[in-house]
Amino acid sequence: MPNWSGGIDRLFESINDAQGDGFRISTFNTHGRSLRGLSILPFGLVYYTSALAYTLLLPFRLVYFAALCAAGRIDLCHVNLSTGASTIRKALFAMICRLFRVKYVVHLHGGDYRRFFAGLPRPLQNLARTLYRRADRIIVLGSLWQDYVVQEIGVAPDRIVVLPNAVLGPGEIDSSKKLSPPRIAFLGRLTEAKGADEIVQALSDPRVSSRDWTAVLAGDGEIARFRSRLEDLGLAERVALPGWIESDAVTELLCESSIFVLPSHFENLPLSMLEAMAHGLCCIVTPVGSVEDVIADGVNGLVVPVGDASALAEALLSVLQDAELRMRLSGAARRDFLSDYDYDDYRGKLASIYTSVLDARG
């Protein structure tokens, strides 16, 4: 996998790379890959990720995990939860935690979790509810998900912690690296769910295409389909589709770009948006998930309706033709990042959650 993988992977890679905060997170992959760098410091913490691959090896991973619990090598588990098989698989590991009285924290990340949970058969919903209700803490990324876990899952409010995502950002913004004409950046999968169709439609809108700009839509997904569309629209020379790019290339892209677009149909709290804010980009987003907790329309970015390519085109046009507006919004985004979403404070907040759980041993 490239370094620039899923958002939660990048976040916890950053946590592991940091030193001196009194704990280290090791990774237990519930999908059957090997246990990497098991390090039982001082909490004996195991963090494990999700994937759909290697499902047939799941029983062996469950047995191995149970052996670790039985041997007293795990004091606390951090369960990162998304949609699909992740919830069911993690519920099985949580059952083992409860069997051996190992405390665990559930961290909800899935942007489409509401729809996913509603579509589960009743027995699987009950299994998932038990996963949440028996957890020692539930970490959510924003107020919308806090309300959801209370009202739909039935978790007591005092066991929920709102901890927005955070990212590493540059100490200073070098405006001389911003390209002219302005570059528009997108980071994510090129799919309908991420609003990639609306991006292409907006870029081809005559009001936008008549302006000077270039764009980079970085990520995997339906690259061939979108490349064909761009060629048909005469935009192939102005819009690059590099596929997944490494972390250094992400940083370079954000340093050179002025506008970030993410018109997703659903999200939780996208790290790509926070990374764009960290690099002083003007963000154009949709009001989904916890995005509304971060971006206020006309204050530190622009918010457009989901699935509305015309509104996206209007937003792009406004910041392309008005450099002062673009700089005001990007400056506010950068200030908000430094205040609320800088990684420097995140690790300490996470450690405080772990400590509060472990100190409450019964």
Side-chain angles (χ1 to χ4, degrees):
M1 288 290 291
N3 291 336
W4 190 68
S5 52
I8 188 59
D9 296 323
R10 301 202 306 281
L11 176 60
F12 276 84
E13 284 171 6
S14 298
I15 292 172
N16 253 349
D17 289 342
Q19 300 292 332
D21 287 340
F23 76 95
R24 184 166 182 79
I25 293 177
S26 298
T27 303
F28 188 95
N29 293 294
T30 66
H31 47 68
R33 295 174 185 169
S34 62
L35 183 67
R36 297 181 304 175
L38 181 63
S39 178
I40 308 302
L41 296 175
F43 301 157
L45 174 69
V46 171
Y47 149 70
Y48 49 88
T49 58
S50 65
L52 295 178
Y54 307 107
T55 302
L56 292 178
L57 293 177
L58 177 60
F60 299 98
R61 305 304 291 167
L62 290 167
V63 171
Y64 183 35
F65 183 75
L68 291 175
C69 291
R73 298 194 63 195
I74 301 172
D75 294 325
L76 186 149
C77 284
H78 184 130
V79 182
N80 279 312
L81 204 61
S82 186
T83 55
S86 173
T87 291
I88 309 308
R89 198 166 53 239
K90 303 304 174 56
L92 298 177
F93 282 85
M95 290 173 63
I96 294 175
C97 287
R98 296 193 297 271
L99 177 64
F100 291 98
R101 298 185 178 181
V102 173
K103 292 178 175 290
Y104 68 91
V105 173
V106 170
H107 199 168
L108 178 59
H109 296 280
D112 198 28
Y113 201 88
R114 185 188 301 273
R115 183 172 62 178
F116 159 74
F117 186 85
L120 285 176
R122 183 60 61 86
L124 293 183
Q125 283 190 354
N126 292 337
L127 182 66
R129 289 185 196 278
T130 301
L131 165 66
Y132 283 94
R133 292 174 179 176
R134 300 287 296 278
D136 295 276
R137 291 291 186 281
I138 307 294
I139 301 175
V140 296
L141 306 187
S143 58
L144 179 147
W145 296 105
Q146 181 180 31
D147 294 342
Y148 171 75
V149 171
V150 171
Q151 297 168 9
E152 301 297 329
I153 305 296
V155 176
D158 61 357
R159 293 176 49 237
I160 302 172
V161 180
V162 177
L163 180 64
N165 285 334
V167 297
L168 292 167
E172 296 182 357
I173 302 298
D174 186 353
S175 58
S176 67
K177 292 185 177 180
K178 302 293 183 184
L179 298 183
S180 182
R183 171 175 284 176
I184 301 165
F186 165 84
L187 297 170
R189 300 203 75 202
L190 291 169
T191 62
E192 178 182 356
K194 288 290 184 180
D197 290 278
E198 288 86 73
I199 295 175
V200 172
Q201 292 177 48
L203 293 177
S204 65
D205 187 300
R207 298 170 295 175
V208 176
S209 62
S210 63
R211 309 292 303 185
D212 285 336
W213 51 265
T214 60
V216 177
L217 312 184
D220 64 0
E222 303 172 64
I223 297 176
R225 178 169 76 87
F226 284 101
R227 180 170 288 121
S228 177
R229 286 194 60 192
L230 291 168
E231 290 174 354
D232 292 341
L233 294 168
L235 295 175
E237 297 299 319
R238 303 177 69 182
V239 182
L241 303 178
W244 281 109
I245 57 178
E246 301 284 348
S247 57
D248 289 345
V250 171
T251 299
E252 182 179 3
L253 171 60
L254 293 175
C255 286
E256 295 176 346
S257 301
S258 299
I259 301 167
F260 175 77
V261 292
L262 186 64
S264 296
H265 294 192
F266 55 83
E267 287 284 355
N268 199 314
L269 180 55
L271 267 73
S272 59
M273 180 186 72
L274 300 182
E275 289 168 334
M277 294 172 65
H279 285 83
L281 274 67
C282 174
C283 296
I284 304 176
V285 297
T286 45
V288 293
S290 298
V291 171
E292 288 186 290
D293 289 346
V294 180
I295 299 295
D297 186 43
V299 177
N300 60 351
L302 296 177
V303 180
V304 299
V306 173
D308 193 334
S310 178
L312 178 58
E314 291 175 3
L316 280 168
L317 180 62
S318 67
V319 295
L320 285 169
Q321 65 185 8
D322 189 340
E324 183 177 344
L325 172 64
R326 186 170 71 240
M327 293 176 63
R328 177 174 65 80
L329 295 175
S330 63
R334 166 72 177 175
R335 288 191 295 273
D336 287 345
F337 158 74
L338 292 172
S339 173
D340 300 319
Y341 308 104
D342 192 345
Y343 171 78
D344 286 346
D345 296 329
Y346 184 89
R347 185 178 167 98
K349 293 176 181 177
L350 189 61
S352 295
I353 295 172
Y354 296 156
T355 300
S356 69
V357 170
L358 293 169
D359 287 348
R361 290 181 181 275

